[in-house]
Amino acid sequence: MKDSIHPDYHMINVVMTDGSTFQTRSTWGKEGDTLSLDIDPRTHPAWTGGQQTILDRAAASRSSSRGSAF
């Protein structure tokens, strides 16, 4: 393998939106830097199902308004 073509992995701290932290290896920043997340799996609708719930409510309101015309 060629030397010096691989990224430098080092330990960083990650702060979730709820304030919890963990350490992981990353190429981001420098050793010991802190990465603060704006969106994480605990708050993002893709993982929490929040967007689907909103879409379900919208579909229910559309179907209930259609039935009121009869």
Side-chain angles (χ1 to χ4, degrees), residues 11-65:
M11 295 301 288
I12 64 166
N13 301 310
V14 179
V15 179
M16 306 282 271
T17 56
D18 66 354
S20 61
T21 62
F22 65 93
Q23 286 190 327
T24 188
R25 293 183 56 196
S26 176
T27 59
W28 180 86
K30 298 180 189 121
E31 179 80 27
D33 280 353
T34 301
L35 174 65
S36 296
L37 300 179
D38 294 330
I39 298 175
D40 63 26
R42 294 181 182 162
T43 60
H44 195 279
W47 287 285
T48 61
Q51 184 66 30
Q52 186 62 36
T53 304
I54 292 168
L55 292 175
D56 290 344
R57 284 190 210 142
S61 68
R62 282 194 306 268
S63 67
S64 65
S65 64

